[in-house]
Amino acid sequence: MGIALRAVCLGIVLIAAALIRTPFADAEDACVDCHRALREERLNRPAFKIKNDYHLARGLGCHSCHGGDQTALDNKGQAHSPAKGFVGKPTRQGIPESCGKCHSDPRYMRQFNPSIRTDQVKEYYTSVHGKRLREGDQKVAVCISCHDVHAIRSVKDQMAWTYPTNVAETCGGCHGNPEYMKPYQIPTDQLEKYQQSVHYEMLTKRADLASPTCSSCHGSHGAAPPGVDSVVNVCSSCHVVTADLFAKSPHRSAFDELGMPACVTCHSNHDITYPSEAMLGGGEGTPCATCHESDSAPLKKAAELRSMIEALAGRIDQASAILTRAEHAGMEIGIPRFELITANESLIKARATVHSLDAEAIKTATDSGLEVAQKSLESGHNLLAEVQFRRKGLAASMLIIIAVLVGLFLKIREVDRRRGPESGDLTGDRH
Amino acid sequence: MAVVRITAWLEERIDLWPIRHFIQKKVIPVHRHSVWYYFGGMTLFLFAIQVATGILLTLYYRPSGEEAYESVQFIMTDVQFGWLVRSIHSWSANLMVLMMMIHAFSVYLMQAYRKPRELTWVTGMLLFGIVLFFGFSGYLLPWNVLSYFATKVGTEIAGQFPLVGHLLMRLLRGGDEVTGATVSRFYGIHIAILPALTTAILALHLFLVQKQGMSVPPSVERAHRGQPLRAMPFVPNFLLRDLFGWFVTLGLLAALAALFPWELGQKADPFAPAPAGIRPEWYFVFMFQSLKYIPAKIGPFDGEVLGVLGFSLGGLFLLLVPFLDKKSALGEPSPLFRRIGIGIIAYIVIFTVLGYVAPAVP
């Protein structure tokens, strides 16, 4: 047999060997294999759920939490052997420690993600949940209450219970359940209120993942309600400028003296709706009127601030509407529309400056915005005038074109009559 | 009188007799399909408008990623009648493509490509391709969101062409991505390369048309066998009718430009997501829609590559049809090629309509 033939045979054998799958190479996890076959749902469900688990994808199977021997196929005794570290189902109180075996070990966690936090368990025991768990309360949230069990997903996974858009529903699973929360005697309408808030709208409808959800204000592992004194610090972690302005206002010391929480007193907490100048003044339902008497100087000042801001907002709306009309008429409005952004910025600045109660600063912002909005409004008027000019121009052009067409029509008739419409022949042109 | 004096002045210096003789002798056949003769002239008229308005636009347009959009915005807002010039340029481009399609397919169905007009047809088809490329290159120049993504998709499709696709895509884009360099490149193609090619091929096309005269459909020839064909003088009878049509088109262009000025849209942003429901200019929609229906894989081949190859072969078929249709060359009826032509028109119309009414493909 020639060398070439031998080489071909060897090649075929090697390819066949590669194609044949060895039984142990493709073996399933013994835990998953057995539990899938069990009839009782309580026992087979984890085996099905685990296929989506973040840990499994990184080589951590059932044995990582439950111990035992995952290689002991069809051998329940060995698989569940205490000698192999089998611990079975951890108790609810033992769950934080069970997860913490890995998650609190920086050296272990570094191999998966060097920047991952490893203080969650420690932080958990500072939370209301953790404290109560230590006191023996079995109903409070533990790791698996928020992260799921057997199908734990990364926080970046949109299906995860801890993904920003899902957090409110996760917390609301318990906190929105009056029956479950009955022993604690705390409100259960937080989820319902939050779903009416501007924060919820930003997060879920505008997909702004930076918008706050429960854990943004209450913390996650160390979840606790912010106290009266710290509310302003919580809100200011995002609303930095507004918080600075508020700190300089006379309201700050007054709120402190009266023991009223900043921000929440006027804006509420879970159901924070769109703030607007309508909140200013002494009208019914305005936050100012809850503390200040009617016809008092502060209410008059609030009404004055409101009218300044409303004047700017109204002018911007007017300019925007006229520019939209011009746009619909086919005009290019890119530049005035762009300029109007500056007026809107002044409006935002004026609205934020209300927190300082500095009328002079608010006037500076509204005056500057009014100037720009007026310019945009004039641009809009000019564009609409240009639309009219174009239409008149078109009408004049059409008259000229129609006159030319009539002339041509008469000329064609005259030429046809004089020379005949079909007076030529196709000599030499018959193709 | 001035015309007579100028003609006499010229006559003393140049022998104008051949031109005068040609004008006097040139006639247009009159029959039931004569109306189709106007579309070539209409396309030429719109091309002249494109040249005139295009030259005016070059005075202000700046071909770069940084300035293209702003310069078109300047043309539309600050330049006196800039909006009118740009709108007429855009509307006229679309009308020109439409007229050119009608002209090409009417010529096809009247089998005017048959002997001895093979070269006229071939030059016409080359002009067809050039005009489409004019449209494709011009569409990017305002550098807005729609034009950016249309060019991205269009050049990607060109990149699917077997063997030379990637090279072709890089050549068109001036790099791996659609950038400001692509704008500069497309501008050069749009105002220098394509006009030069058009001038040369159009000159040959018009020379051949004048040299060979207008073709008479075989069915009309057969109906008049043995009898002289009716005809009208080109000057002034047909020319006046041409002028009439051109003025109607001019009125239509003025109305479209004044009532529906061509939008500028938002400036291109390569980092922004593609807007939903994006599609190319209407004359490319049938190809775009077809590619949507082709599966990703057909056997071992890439579906899009096969689609692009199919369109290329379709174009080649149209280019070479005078040499493939042997029957019409012999003056015999050629129903097969007629049916193919009707099929192509139906295909283009149906897929274009589908592109607008059923853009989502499951």
Side-chain angles (χ1 to χ4, degrees), chain A residues 30-49:
Chain A
C31 315
V32 174
D33 266 9
C34 271
H35 277 262
R36 272 189 183 173
L38 296 173
R39 286 194 175 178
E40 200 176 339
E41 197 204 342
R42 181 179 65 86
L43 296 172
N44 68 33
R45 193 174 54 210
F48 288 107
K49 276 183 80 178

Side-chain angles (χ1 to χ4, degrees), chain A residues 238-277:
Chain A
C238 296
H239 298 276
V240 183
V241 176
T242 321
D244 275 354
L245 290 164
F246 177 76
K248 291 173 196 158
S249 81
H251 273 152
R252 178 64 200 253
S253 54
F255 278 35
D256 286 348
E257 279 169 29
L258 294 167
M260 291 158 66
C263 312
V264 168
T265 300
C266 299
H267 293 281
S268 82
N269 50 3
H270 297 111
D271 52 346
I272 299 170
T273 51
Y274 264 110
S276 80
E277 40 281 3

Side-chain angles (χ1 to χ4, degrees), chain A residues 327-335 386 389-391 394 397-398 401 404-406 408-409 411-412 415-416 418-431, chain B residues 27 29-30 73 77 81 83 114 116-117 212-216 221 227-233 235-237 240-241 243-244 247-248 250-251 254-255 258-259 261 264:
Chain A
E327 188 179 29
H328 289 163
M331 303 303 291
E332 167 54 31
I333 61 153
I335 293 169
E386 171 75 9
F389 170 76
R390 288 182 187 186
R391 290 190 178 164
L394 174 65
S397 315
M398 282 302 183
I401 289 171
V404 172
L405 287 175
V406 170
L408 279 171
F409 178 72
K411 184 74 182 166
I412 289 167
V415 168
D416 283 353
R418 187 153 41 89
R419 302 180 62 167
E422 296 153 12
S423 55
D425 60 31
L426 286 176
T427 312
D429 197 24
R430 293 170 187 274
H431 295 294
Chain B
V27 289
V30 177
Q73 199 170 44
T77 53
F81 294 106
W83 63 272
R114 68 194 190 280
R117 291 183 177 77
Q212 297 170 327
M214 308 303 275
S215 164
V216 176
E221 269 187 345
Q227 292 177 4
L229 276 169
R230 293 184 298 159
M232 76 164 80
V235 178
N237 301 49
L240 283 172
R241 286 169 166 81
L243 271 173
F244 190 91
F247 269 89
V248 169
L250 196 63
L259 299 176
L264 178 58

Side-chain angles (χ1 to χ4, degrees), chain A residues 249-327:
Chain A
S249 81
H251 273 152
R252 178 64 200 253
S253 54
F255 278 35
D256 286 348
E257 279 169 29
L258 294 167
M260 291 158 66
C263 312
V264 168
T265 300
C266 299
H267 293 281
S268 82
N269 50 3
H270 297 111
D271 52 346
I272 299 170
T273 51
Y274 264 110
S276 80
E277 40 281 3
M279 290 171 73
L280 290 169
E284 189 142 331
T286 58
C288 312
T290 56
C291 297
H292 296 286
E293 288 173 13
S294 58
D295 288 333
S296 62
L299 283 193
K300 283 179 184 163
K301 186 180 177 185
E304 184 196 337
L305 300 182
R306 176 177 174 164
S307 65
M308 281 197 283
I309 296 172
E310 278 180 344
L312 175 57
R315 190 64 53 84
I316 290 171
D317 286 347
Q318 227 181 333
S320 187
I322 208 161
L323 287 177
T324 305
R325 268 180 65 197
E327 188 179 29

Side-chain angles (χ1 to χ4, degrees), chain A residues 366-387:
Chain A
T366 52
D367 283 353
S368 141
L370 276 170
E371 198 180 321
V372 178
Q374 183 61 31
K375 204 175 147 203
S376 296
L377 187 66
E378 283 163 17
S379 300
H381 281 301
N382 291 340
L383 287 170
L384 287 180
E386 171 75 9
V387 170

Side-chain angles (χ1 to χ4, degrees), chain B residues 4-215:
Chain B
V4 175
R5 261 187 290 164
I6 290 167
T7 313
W9 187 87
L10 280 172
E11 194 83 60
E12 280 179 5
R13 286 153 183 84
I14 314 161
D15 182 11
L16 293 178
W17 183 85
I19 298 171
R20 233 183 13 247
H21 176 72
F22 172 74
I23 290 171
Q24 282 166 1
K25 286 288 171 192
K26 183 170 171 65
V27 289
I28 304 294
V30 177
H31 49 79
R32 65 178 189 276
H33 297 305
S34 289
V35 67
W36 302 111
Y37 291 143
Y38 293 99
F39 286 92
M42 191 71 84
T43 310
L44 190 61
F45 167 70
L46 289 164
F47 179 70
I49 288 183
Q50 286 304 99
V51 172
T53 51
I55 288 170
L56 290 174
L57 289 173
T58 59
L59 301 180
Y60 291 97
Y61 178 74
R62 296 178 183 190
S64 73
E66 291 77 31
E67 292 183 296
Y69 180 85
E70 284 76 7
S71 66
V72 178
Q73 199 170 44
F74 182 76
I75 289 169
M76 293 195 66
T77 53
D78 290 81
V79 178
Q80 283 282 340
F81 294 106
W83 63 272
L84 184 65
V85 175
R86 180 182 175 242
S87 286
I88 288 185
H89 192 75
S90 303
W91 277 114
S92 168
N94 281 276
L95 282 182
M96 183 171 82
V97 174
L98 179 67
M99 294 302 155
M100 183 191 65
M101 283 183 168
I102 296 172
H103 175 53
F105 283 110
S106 61
V107 166
Y108 180 98
L109 291 179
M110 292 197 291
Q111 290 171 329
Y113 53 73
R114 68 194 190 280
K115 190 184 171 185
R117 291 183 177 77
E118 297 97 324
L119 281 178
T120 319
W121 171 263
V122 169
T123 51
M125 287 315 293
L126 291 176
L127 287 170
F128 195 125
I130 289 172
V131 166
L132 291 182
F133 201 16
F134 256 124
F136 182 64
S137 56
Y139 194 59
L140 176 71
L141 300 186
W143 194 234
N144 57 28
V145 173
L146 286 178
S147 69
Y148 171 79
F149 283 105
T151 306
K152 201 168 157 46
V153 174
T155 47
E156 262 165 22
I157 290 171
Q160 298 296 323
F161 206 84
L163 301 174
V164 291
H166 187 67
L167 181 72
L168 186 67
M169 188 178 79
R170 277 182 55 83
L171 194 70
L172 284 169
R173 289 181 172 180
D176 285 321
E177 296 296 329
V178 176
T179 61
T182 321
V183 178
S184 310
R185 186 159 292 219
F186 271 37
Y187 181 66
I189 293 169
H190 193 73
I191 69 147
I193 298 173
L194 295 181
L197 281 173
T198 306
T199 308
I201 301 172
L202 184 61
L204 180 59
H205 187 73
L206 292 177
F207 169 77
L208 290 169
V209 170
Q210 302 313 319
K211 187 77 184 164
Q212 297 170 327
M214 308 303 275
S215 164

